[in-house]
Amino acid sequence: MSNHEKMVLTGNQGIARGFYEAGGLLAASYPGSPTVEILDSIKDYEEVYAEFSTSEKVAFEVAIGGSFAGVRSMASMKHVGVNIAADPLMSFTQTKTNGGFVLLTGEDPGMASSQNEQDNRILGKFANMGIVAPGDSQEAIDYTKAAFDLSEEYHLPMMVNITSRVCHSRTPVVLGERKEVEPRVFEKDVERYCMIPPHTHPLQHSMKDRIDKLKEFAYDSELNTFEEGEDKDTLIVTSGLLYHNLKELDLNLSIYKLGMVYPLSPKRLQELSQKFKRIIVIEELMPVIETEIKMMGIECEGKKYFSFTGELHTEDIEEGLKKAGVITERTTTDRAPVDSVKRTPLFCAGCPHRPIFDILKKLRKRVIGDIGCYSMAMFEPFQASDSIISMGATVGITKGMTKANALTGKSEPLVSVIGDGTMFHSGLPGFVNLLHQENETDNMTFIVLDNRTTAMTGGQATAASGNYTSADDMHVDIKTFIQAIGHENVVEVDQFDYEATKKVITEETNKPGISFIIAKRPCALKFKIQENTFYVNPNVCIGCRNCIKTNCPPIRMKKYHNIDKLKSSIDPSMCAGCSVCAQVCPVDAIQPKGQHPDHSKKGSAKYKRQEYQKMKLNNEDQNEDPK
């Protein structure tokens, strides 16, 4: 991309471009929507070192190291990722930054792809950071550059707070030139870099001083703009994308648009409050700006007119302004719900997780789940996950439930399911903790779904991905790793060998103690399966729907010519050839393409069909009312 060229970029690409133009040299991240594309975009710049770290905490610490060493550094993550990085964050903000430091956090109002919609502006204030909030891709570039400048001028880490709508929407931008920033020297200074009480006491005052200076900067900063409209009674205070949504209403209101949402300038807001009879704050999620203004002793309103949850679209803003009496009539109508077919989220064709959850459902095990694409196991038809809280939480929760059950006289084998990426992210401390007060009567089985990628966010590498492709440079062997911790009972399975895997899970869950099962099949999206596809012989199929219940996308029931009953079918364009459907078919109706079964032999379709019918008849006999 040449300088001064006009382009259309997403907000994520804008952040990456801003980092590049600001002279950024080191970037680290952990993949998570809505910010995962930022690091992917940064990797396109050869001058920069960029990595997906094993967790947000590690990514944040890598970026701290870059800042210590005197280069402009950035850590990017989704909003809940900041919770993982909170420990080093809360200490690091006490230090006076050397190289400029930016924490990029992506909010998700409405929870399009997240477990909550926490407002990280509160965390930014809690950590004594300055916060800027871009509302489009150009601002994503400009505010990121400004954040690095402010970080170095005021010696504090800055937060760039962006929402999922801005991350993924595209707006035109003008590219600027890269600013080469001379690396600063890291000099030994224990009072500055060693955060222990003798040093941290004065730093509490230092942090307050930095924020106070930033308030003075905010007074006439170009990041904050005032637009005087015809309405002289009401001042609207807003920021980010909501400014653009408000402008779509063309109301000619007076607007104070905040580019820097923390800290605010009390002096500027006092001046503005003298000019207007009322101030209305429009912001998504928590009333952060509204509360800040009220704490200055300035009357304002906001959340009582606007939703406390979800995104605020143009229609929502207009409705809120009508409730507030700012306007009397609406020009927009509420969005009508789109009439669409309801679909349950599906595992991908050829997904190696499917047979695991099919087995767990049939075994009727209590399953504690975790965060990943396998979270979909909670939906129909599997409904094989009883708990999902946060990354890596399944391990500790499983232990806690087991210990609580023992104390209350209950006995229930528990199964914990965790992906390889999540395990490396935050599951390993829990694995170590299992050794603490281990009891031989505890019955816990931990299934590691080792698909060698973080599939849910687009296939970024995990610490084990290098075993499949030389493009990934970490080759951690999970079985060796778990055994090295001290767990002896570790079994590896190929889950596409359905019966063998079912046998192992049955055995391990039925015996006391701690068991680990590593299900080793690669992600069907990242590592394409090169197997023969399967087809259904409708003359053999009995319509039992066992194959349908495996939740595989290519399989559906359909009407065949000259056959009255609906029979199973497989879309060959989607079939990945994993064979799981063929293995659960009781009558051998599903075969690899080009293979014709010999029905005369034991194990053939004809034989299995006869056995299935016998079994069905026996079950019906047993279920007959003895009366």
Side-chain angles (χ1 to χ4, degrees), residues 481-613:
F481 202 100
I482 295 173
Q483 288 177 325
I485 291 172
H487 296 292
E488 298 177 352
N489 191 17
V490 186
V491 185
E492 292 180 326
V493 297
D494 175 357
Q495 59 269 53
F496 283 172
D497 187 345
Y498 186 88
E499 287 302 326
T501 301
K502 185 177 181 181
K503 182 173 182 291
V504 168
I505 293 177
T506 303
E507 290 175 352
E508 296 301 323
T509 55
N510 284 339
K511 69 183 183 185
I514 297 175
S515 303
F516 285 85
I517 300 172
I518 304 172
K520 300 181 64 169
R521 270 283 178 174
C523 173
L525 283 182
K526 186 172 181 180
F527 307 99
K528 298 294 183 185
I529 300 171
Q530 300 295 325
E531 304 286 351
N532 197 6
T533 59
F534 282 69
Y535 77 101
V536 177
N537 184 340
N539 296 315
V540 179
C541 175
I542 57 175
C544 68
R545 302 181 186 233
N546 268 3
C547 55
I548 295 286
K549 292 172 184 173
T550 63
N551 198 24
C552 191
I555 307 176
R556 62 187 175 90
M557 303 300 289
K558 82 169 189 179
K559 180 79 172 63
Y560 287 86
H561 181 62
N562 287 336
I563 298 178
D564 292 336
K565 191 176 178 182
L566 288 176
K567 299 296 179 72
S568 173
S569 70
I570 298 174
D571 182 346
S573 67
M574 298 175 68
C575 178
C578 71
S579 83
V580 171
C581 58
Q583 294 181 62
V584 301
C585 177
V587 295
D588 224 8
I590 302 176
Q591 294 288 333
K593 234 173 183 179
Q595 181 173 323
H596 300 285
D598 181 353
H599 292 170
S600 64
K601 295 180 180 177
K602 185 175 181 179
S604 68
K606 183 179 179 181
Y607 177 83
K608 283 190 175 181
R609 185 177 185 178
Q610 290 170 344
E611 292 298 304
Y612 180 78
Q613 288 172 336

Side-chain angles (χ1 to χ4, degrees), residues 251-311:
L251 295 175
N252 208 359
L253 294 167
S254 296
I255 303 171
Y256 186 42
K257 175 180 178 293
L258 295 169
M260 190 165 73
V261 297
Y262 182 81
L264 307 180
S265 167
K267 181 181 176 183
R268 174 64 71 192
L269 283 157
Q270 288 286 358
E271 290 176 357
L272 291 171
S273 68
Q274 301 301 314
K275 294 183 177 180
F276 296 91
K277 294 179 181 177
R278 63 190 303 205
I279 295 176
I280 295 177
V281 179
I282 303 175
E283 57 188 327
E284 287 173 336
L285 305 182
M286 302 293 287
V288 175
I289 297 171
E290 181 183 348
T291 302
E292 286 296 306
I293 295 174
K294 286 178 176 175
M295 288 174 65
M296 296 172 187
I298 300 171
E299 289 188 10
C300 67
E301 307 164 282
K303 273 298 156 188
K304 65 180 181 180
Y305 303 123
F306 304 99
S307 173
F308 73 97
T309 181
E311 294 181 289

Side-chain angles (χ1 to χ4, degrees), residues 152-441:
E152 291 183 348
E153 182 175 352
Y154 293 95
H155 299 291
L156 82 171
M158 291 289 294
M159 173 182 282
V160 177
N161 185 271
I162 193 167
T163 63
S164 53
R165 186 71 61 180
V166 180
C167 285
H168 298 138
S169 59
R170 297 172 185 271
T171 56
V173 302
V174 178
L175 304 184
E177 296 180 354
R178 175 173 168 84
K179 174 183 177 182
E180 296 297 341
V181 181
E182 187 69 24
R184 301 181 177 197
V185 177
F186 175 77
E187 296 179 345
K188 183 179 175 68
D189 186 346
V190 295
E191 292 183 1
R192 178 173 178 175
Y193 293 117
C194 298
M195 294 302 103
I196 54 176
H199 304 154
T200 52
H201 291 152
L203 290 175
Q204 292 297 312
H205 298 276
S206 173
M207 285 193 292
K208 182 179 183 303
D209 292 342
R210 292 183 312 193
I211 293 298
D212 287 343
K213 290 177 180 175
L214 211 53
K215 288 178 183 176
E216 295 174 11
F217 165 81
Y219 174 75
D220 56 1
S221 168
E222 293 181 353
L223 294 171
N224 304 324
T225 56
F226 173 65
E227 295 178 16
E228 189 162 11
E230 292 179 357
D231 186 339
K232 306 298 182 187
D233 291 335
T234 304
L235 172 68
I236 303 295
V237 179
T238 190
S239 65
L241 181 63
L242 300 188
Y243 165 80
H244 298 288
N245 291 348
L246 173 64
K247 293 293 284 184
E248 284 186 353
L249 295 171
D250 195 24
L251 295 175
N252 208 359
L253 294 167
S254 296
I255 303 171
Y256 186 42
K257 175 180 178 293
L258 295 169
M260 190 165 73
V261 297
Y262 182 81
L264 307 180
S265 167
K267 181 181 176 183
R268 174 64 71 192
L269 283 157
Q270 288 286 358
E271 290 176 357
L272 291 171
S273 68
Q274 301 301 314
K275 294 183 177 180
F276 296 91
K277 294 179 181 177
R278 63 190 303 205
I279 295 176
I280 295 177
V281 179
I282 303 175
E283 57 188 327
E284 287 173 336
L285 305 182
M286 302 293 287
V288 175
I289 297 171
E290 181 183 348
T291 302
E292 286 296 306
I293 295 174
K294 286 178 176 175
M295 288 174 65
M296 296 172 187
I298 300 171
E299 289 188 10
C300 67
E301 307 164 282
K303 273 298 156 188
K304 65 180 181 180
Y305 303 123
F306 304 99
S307 173
F308 73 97
T309 181
E311 294 181 289
L312 290 181
H313 299 281
T314 302
E315 300 86 350
D316 305 313
I317 291 174
E318 189 176 45
E319 175 63 21
L321 292 176
K322 186 170 180 288
K323 287 180 185 174
V326 176
I327 59 175
T328 55
E329 299 293 335
R330 287 187 55 181
T331 58
T332 64
T333 54
D334 290 333
R335 300 177 305 282
V338 178
D339 187 16
S340 60
V341 177
K342 291 185 179 178
R343 300 178 189 275
T344 304
L346 283 174
F347 287 88
C348 301
C351 174
H353 299 336
R354 189 184 305 103
I356 294 294
F357 289 108
D358 188 61
I359 292 168
L360 290 173
K361 180 179 182 180
K362 288 173 178 171
L363 294 178
R364 298 184 178 181
K365 297 299 181 184
R366 179 81 67 201
V367 179
I368 311 302
D370 216 293
I371 301 291
C373 57
Y374 50 92
S375 300
M376 291 187 295
M378 65 174 285
F379 297 117
E380 292 180 339
F382 294 129
Q383 296 176 299
S385 188
D386 300 301
S387 165
I388 299 171
I389 296 296
S390 63
M391 293 280 283
T394 180
V395 186
I397 291 172
T398 302
K399 178 175 182 178
M401 287 184 69
T402 299
K403 294 298 183 185
N405 284 343
L407 290 170
T408 54
K410 300 175 186 174
S411 177
E412 181 183 32
L414 296 179
V415 178
S416 166
V417 180
I418 188 169
D420 56 326
T422 307
M423 184 199 75
F424 289 118
H425 175 278
S426 50
L428 292 177
F431 284 178
V432 175
N433 191 58
L434 290 171
L435 299 167
H436 183 48
Q437 299 191 49
E438 185 178 357
N439 191 313
E440 61 182 15
T441 63

